[in-house]
Amino acid sequence: MLNKDGGESNEHFKLKTSYINIFKKSEKYFTEGLIWGYNFHICTITAPLEETTEPLPLVLKDKKLVFEEQEPEYDINCKFELEFNENGLNLKDENHHCSNYMFYCGAHASVHDVQLAKTNKGCN
């Protein structure tokens, strides 16, 4: 898409908004979200259960929220970490097992080294 002056437009990227919703319920942490990757591929973060969209359960470890799932028979070792800092939220999936095997992710989407800026609660 081009601007009126012939330069490249960023209009088609305005709809691409990644988000993570983290909440606590009955002393347990959960998250759900949507991460945009290249070529409009997405990664949907929910519990890895077939035919459901339950939130992903998390455990607080060393000031990080963590989801871990091992399935040795399939050589899967998923470790998804969410860590807050002064700039926002950092997501990690170092071996990409969560993106490749646990979450619903397109070929060009991942949750590793994703950084999301802090926002106010709610929508504008």
Side-chain angles (χ1 to χ4, degrees), residues 49-92:
L49 305 170
E50 290 186 35
E51 299 183 31
T52 185
T53 57
E54 294 293 318
L56 183 71
L58 302 168
V59 176
L60 185 61
K61 290 184 179 180
D62 301 323
K63 298 182 182 180
K64 297 177 185 179
L65 291 169
V66 179
F67 169 78
E68 293 183 272
E69 181 76 29
Q70 285 81 36
E71 294 187 16
E73 64 273 16
Y74 299 108
D75 198 27
I76 296 173
N77 183 20
C78 163
K79 184 175 184 182
F80 179 54
E81 299 178 321
L82 297 89
E83 182 175 25
F84 292 95
N85 65 26
E86 64 278 352
N87 297 319
L89 179 65
N90 294 319
L91 310 179
K92 296 235 185 269

Side-chain angles (χ1 to χ4, degrees), residues 42-52 99 102-106:
I42 60 170
C43 195
T44 304
I45 300 169
T46 59
L49 305 170
E50 290 186 35
E51 299 183 31
T52 185
S99 295
M102 296 288 130
F103 304 146
Y104 297 103
C105 297

Side-chain angles (χ1 to χ4, degrees), residues 119-124:
T119 62
N120 292 331
K121 188 175 181 178
C123 297
N124 294 333

Side-chain angles (χ1 to χ4, degrees), residues 11-28:
E11 284 294 314
H12 59 284
F13 291 106
K14 285 185 178 179
L15 297 176
K16 288 179 60 174
T17 303
S18 295
Y19 75 91
I20 294 285
N21 180 30
I22 300 169
F23 58 96
K24 190 175 182 180
K25 184 176 179 182
S26 301
E27 300 303 313
K28 294 181 182 179

